[in-house]
């Protein structure tokens, strides 16, 4: 006897080709009754920056991978591409992609913007896994979106492993987060969708009075809200920050 699986909401996600973090963290973050399917952004280019440019240029065509799956929204889990494209190009791409998909499309960048606006945050601290070049593009992006970057802590380290960002451990991310202690910020953002962030956030959801967000947390939060037709809400976001919707699952990714 066939059993039909009919989740209350199905989210389509697009991730960079070698990203090993989005799917394990989505498995923790997605609320009961929801599900997601994943497709990949690909590029043959040799450098991170060149690949990110390629990813942005092909995001709309990458939606074809979902075919006629009954998705209720699309979350593009790739923040670096937004930095290099800039807010104007990002907004235009989201509008075109939404029209093509027929459902809301959100990027990780715009999800973080929605989260910071919901919190009323203007002074932000960044925990970054990026190279110096991407750090510069990231700072310019957040300032163009209306935020003042008043503190930054870097988790990036050169690595002999397959990818310097995707090879970061949760312990390295947590150490960089702890370095934000005492900074005058309204919120802290752990950047990128490749650095593992859920264990550090569950351990320290606030640094002083500042809520700790991550691109992954914001992408899941905003993607689910878009899928369910809900507007961004501060109180709802803070339940995610505190881990109330996901922290009791006892299945945080442990490989790193």
């Amino acid at each position: 006897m066939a059993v039909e699986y009919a989740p209350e909401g199905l989210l389509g996600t697009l991730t960079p080709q070698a990203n090993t973090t989005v799917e394990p963290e989505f498995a923790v973050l997605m609320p009961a009754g929801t599900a997601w399917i994943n497709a990949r952004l690909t590029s043959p280019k040799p450098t991170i920056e060149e690949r990110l440019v390629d990813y942005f240029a092909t995001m709309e065509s990458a939606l074809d991978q979902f075919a006629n799956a009954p998705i209720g929204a699309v979350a593009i889990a790739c923040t670096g591409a937004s930095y290099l494209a800039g807010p104007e190009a990002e907004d235009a791409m989201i509008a075109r992609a939404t029209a093509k998909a027929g459902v809301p499309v959100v990027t990780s960048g715009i999800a973080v913007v929605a989260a910071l606006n919901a919190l009323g945050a203007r002074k932000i601290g960044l925990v970054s896994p990026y190279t110096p070049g991407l750090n510069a593009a990231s700072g310019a992006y957040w300032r163009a979106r209306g935020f003042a970057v008043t503190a930054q802590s870097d988790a990036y380290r050169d690595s002999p492993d397959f990818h310097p960002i995707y090879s970061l451990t949760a312990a390295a991310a947590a150490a960089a987060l702890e370095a934000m202690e005492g900074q005058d910020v309204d919120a802290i953002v752990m950047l990128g969708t490749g650095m593992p962030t859920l264990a550090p956030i569950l351990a320290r959801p606030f640094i002083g009075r500042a809520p700790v967000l991550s691109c992954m947390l914001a992408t899941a939060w905003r993607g689910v809200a878009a899928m369910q037709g809900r507007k961004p809400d501060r109180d709802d976001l803070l339940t995610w920050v505190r881990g109330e919707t996901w922290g009791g699952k006892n299945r945080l990714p442990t490989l790193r």
Side-chain angles (χ1 to χ4, degrees):
M1 178 179 177
V3 177
E4 182 178 352
Y5 176 61
E8 296 174 12
L10 183 63
L11 182 67
T13 64
L14 284 173
T15 62
Q17 58 194 23
N19 186 296
T20 55
T21 304
V22 171
E23 290 163 286
E25 294 205 340
F26 258 60
V28 175
L29 287 167
M30 293 296 283
T34 62
W36 83 101
I37 55 175
N38 197 76
R40 295 277 167 169
L41 300 163
T42 63
S43 169
K45 297 295 177 62
T47 70
I48 294 173
E49 289 82 359
E50 289 175 311
R51 288 194 296 272
L52 290 170
V53 171
D54 262 8
Y55 295 159
F56 189 87
T58 59
M59 282 176 179
E60 293 161 66
S61 61
L63 295 173
D64 294 339
Q65 295 176 74
F66 297 122
N68 62 346
I71 55 176
V74 175
I76 302 175
C78 179
T79 328
S82 296
Y83 304 151
L84 296 178
E88 185 175 349
E90 180 183 37
D91 291 345
M93 184 279 294
I94 290 172
R96 293 192 304 269
T98 297
K100 176 177 179 174
V103 296
V105 174
V106 297
T107 61
S108 291
I110 208 67
V112 173
V113 170
L116 291 171
N117 285 338
L119 293 171
R122 284 296 168 261
K123 294 184 293 183
I124 63 174
L126 303 178
V127 177
S128 172
Y130 299 133
T131 61
L134 279 178
N135 273 336
S138 171
Y141 175 88
W142 300 116
R143 287 190 292 272
R145 287 293 189 189
F147 306 103
V149 178
T150 58
Q152 181 163 319
S153 175
D154 292 325
Y156 180 87
R157 298 291 184 273
D158 287 330
S159 171
D161 295 328
F162 78 103
H163 194 291
I165 295 176
Y166 304 153
S167 299
L168 281 169
T169 65
L177 175 61
E178 292 295 331
M180 300 300 292
E181 188 76 57
Q183 298 294 332
D184 180 22
V185 295
D186 300 323
I188 296 166
V189 185
M190 302 185 77
L191 296 175
T193 62
M195 179 172 67
T197 60
L198 296 191
I201 291 174
L202 193 60
R204 292 292 304 270
F206 294 84
I207 301 290
R209 64 182 179 84
V212 180
L213 308 171
S214 72
C215 292
M216 274 305 312
L217 183 81
T219 300
W221 165 76
R222 187 67 190 96
V224 168
M227 182 173 64
Q228 297 177 343
R230 295 185 289 106
K231 294 181 178 179
D233 177 82
R234 178 182 184 275
D235 291 338
D236 177 52
L237 173 61
L238 288 175
T239 67
W240 286 67
V241 169
R242 291 190 292 263
E244 294 174 15
T245 58
W246 55 269
K249 295 181 180 179
N250 294 321
R251 51 190 176 92
L252 290 179
T254 57
L255 293 179
R256 292 182 288 150

